[in-house]
């Protein structure tokens, strides 16, 4: 019970308790040593006084009567002084031992954290620190809940974040190289064929070369956008906009691709939707990304629906608008849902590459939505049951639908 309370106490409380313990040890030691040693010293001094006087006669005792009180007082003060000096020395020894023990319990874990930071600085991002209840490295027992335990927990979170960032950096280099290899190999093959005369310089050949060059251009543009997004340097022009107008622009852009694929594109845009504070072009970009993603993964005959509705914000304080793109496509397995917004992540890599996707459209969409004060997520009942991508945007306060029209005039 006491150990559990000590483990859960704050470092400040532990230091205070430690100081009080050291003070109590000093006082108790001083008292005990004085009680034990002072009488012995007093007896020694009394014996010395009696020995130096020899066997006094009655007259001598009478003559010495006047100085008896002063002699006893001197003997007592001398005895107590010597006893206190001895007690102070023993108390100091106990205090030093207790201080070394307590400081070791505090400094030991901190030294391990410092050593771990040096190893991380040297590039060992897998380094972790573990602080057990007894102050040692984790090997059993309940973890510390004081400031040192919190420091260890925060350190481990930082190390995990650094390790994940380094892993993403390495993966990014590999993914970019992989994405560039396919179009470059195609271009190289066609150009070599043209140089060797094995490929006729037909319109179809030039169209294929142009297609691969455009694919490279799109990939470079997406990577540049992703770089700005991860560096939080996205250019935004937030204003009060009508969400219905934004949705209609995105729908018009995607009408023809859906018709060519034989898919139904539907919209549920109720009247009276409040305006949102957002970047018009960026919201259209996010909707296009989500609609294009649904187009790729919805086999014909299928349907994709874009809907908007009002929902309460976090804690029910501020109202938000929910944009939702739902499809009747191939669906997403539950284990893939947490990774959909990671760069270059693909559920079906070969199919996505054949369709021309760069694999970072959803990553850019997430960065854009979060930069505008919203959040984005994906839902699916499983493979073969379709999927839905939703994002929120904050409602602009104090603006009616008529006010939006006047705002844009």
């Amino acid at each position: 019970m006491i150990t559990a309370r000590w483990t859960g106490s704050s470092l400040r409380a532990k230091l205070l308790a430690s100081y009080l313990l050291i003070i109590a040890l000093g006082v108790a030691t001083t008292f005990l040593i004085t009680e034990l040693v002072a009488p012995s010293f007093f007896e020694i001094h009394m014996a010395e006084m009696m020995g130096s006087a020899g066997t006094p006669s009655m007259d001598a005792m009478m003559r010495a009567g006047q100085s008896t009180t002063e002699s006893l007082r001197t003997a007592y003060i001398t005895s107590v002084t010597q006893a206190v000096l001895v007690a102070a020395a023993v108390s100091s020894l106990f205090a030093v031992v207790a201080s070394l023990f307590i400081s070791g319990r505090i400094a030991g874990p901190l030294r391990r954290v410092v050593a771990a930071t040096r190893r991380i600085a040297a590039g060992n991002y897998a380094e972790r620190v573990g602080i057990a209840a007894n102050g040692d490295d984790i090997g059993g027992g309940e973890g510390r809940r004081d400031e040192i335990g919190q420091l260890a927990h925060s350190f481990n979170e930082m190390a995990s974040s650094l390790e994940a960032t380094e892993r993403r950096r390495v993966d990014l280099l590999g993914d970019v190289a992989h994405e560039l290899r396919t179009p470059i190999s195609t271009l190289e093959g066609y150009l070599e064929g043209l140089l060797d005369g094995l490929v006729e310089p037909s319109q179809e050949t030039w169209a294929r070369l142009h297609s691969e060059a455009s694919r490279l251009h799109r990939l470079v543009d997406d990577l540049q956008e992703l770089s700005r997004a991860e560096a939080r340097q996205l250019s935004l022009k937030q204003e009060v906009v009508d969400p219905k107008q934004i949705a209609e622009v995105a729908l018009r852009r995607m009408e023809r691709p859906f018709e060519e694929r034989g898919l139904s594109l539907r919209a549920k845009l109720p009247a009276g939707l409040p305006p949102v504070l957002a970047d018009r072009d960026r919201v259209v970009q996010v909707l296009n990304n989500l609609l294009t993603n649904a187009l790729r993964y919805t086999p014909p005959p299928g349907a994709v629906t874009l809907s908007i509705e009002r929902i309460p914000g976090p804690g029910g304080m501020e109202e938000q608008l929910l944009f939702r793109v739902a499809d009747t496509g191939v669906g997403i397995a539950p284990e893939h849902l947490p990774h959909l917004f990671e760069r270059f992540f693909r559920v079906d890599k070969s199919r996505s590459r054949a369709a021309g996707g760069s694999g970072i459209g959803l990553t850019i969409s997430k960065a854009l939505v979060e930069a505008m004060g919203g959040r984005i997520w994906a839902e699916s009942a499983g493979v073969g049951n379709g999927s839905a991508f939703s994002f929120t945007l904050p409602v602009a306060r104090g603006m009616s639908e008529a006010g939006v029209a006047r705002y844009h005039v």
Side-chain angles (χ1 to χ4, degrees), residues 162-400:
L162 289 174
E163 185 179 19
T165 300
E166 178 65 14
R167 184 172 59 251
R168 286 195 298 268
R169 185 187 68 83
V170 174
D171 292 343
L172 175 61
L173 294 175
D175 291 334
V176 170
H178 184 75
E179 292 298 326
L180 291 175
R181 186 178 297 114
T182 301
I184 289 176
S185 298
T186 302
L187 288 172
E188 186 179 25
Y190 272 90
L191 291 173
E192 287 180 355
L194 288 170
L195 289 173
D196 296 337
L198 301 177
V199 177
E200 293 292 332
S202 62
Q203 187 68 26
E204 181 182 354
T205 301
W206 301 126
R208 184 61 185 271
L209 291 174
H210 181 270
S211 175
E212 294 300 327
S214 298
R215 183 177 173 185
L216 280 174
H217 189 274
R218 288 196 305 271
L219 178 59
V220 172
D221 288 343
D222 287 344
L223 288 173
Q224 186 178 19
E225 190 81 356
L226 177 62
S227 176
R228 287 198 296 263
E230 294 190 339
R232 300 184 180 274
Q233 295 178 350
L234 288 170
S235 58
L236 293 177
K237 183 183 177 182
Q238 291 193 256
E239 55 184 348
V240 179
V241 295
D242 185 353
K244 191 173 181 180
Q245 292 179 1
I246 296 175
E248 290 173 349
V249 171
L251 290 170
R252 284 195 298 270
R253 291 185 180 181
M254 299 299 298
E255 281 180 355
R256 186 171 179 179
F258 272 82
E259 290 176 358
E260 293 175 350
R261 189 169 170 79
L263 299 176
S264 175
L265 180 58
R266 304 169 183 171
K268 294 182 180 179
L269 309 176
L273 290 172
V276 293
L277 184 63
D279 187 313
R280 176 192 298 271
D281 295 333
R282 294 297 193 177
V283 178
V284 172
Q285 179 182 351
V286 172
L287 289 174
N288 283 340
N289 283 341
L290 298 183
L291 290 171
T292 301
N293 187 73
L295 176 67
R296 291 178 183 145
Y297 290 96
T298 303
V304 177
T305 304
L306 171 59
S307 61
I308 306 177
E309 61 178 305
R310 305 168 72 160
I311 62 171
M317 298 297 293
E318 297 182 1
E319 192 177 28
Q320 295 180 327
L321 285 191
L322 174 67
F323 294 76
R324 182 181 178 88
V325 176
D327 62 61
T328 59
V330 297
I332 306 170
E335 62 269 19
H336 294 317
L337 287 174
H339 307 287
L340 289 177
F341 296 95
E342 295 178 2
R343 57 194 181 194
F344 293 108
F345 178 81
R346 292 189 180 91
V347 176
D348 185 351
K349 298 184 178 181
S350 60
R351 181 172 181 174
S352 296
R353 190 172 294 110
S358 63
I360 57 178
L362 292 178
T363 308
I364 295 174
S365 297
K366 182 176 184 291
L368 289 172
V369 170
E370 292 179 349
M372 290 184 286
R375 65 186 187 95
I376 188 171
W377 67 94
E379 300 169 298
S380 178
V383 177
N385 295 309
S387 58
F389 287 81
S390 306
F391 68 93
T392 60
L393 289 176
V395 170
R397 293 182 176 181
M399 293 292 294
S400 63

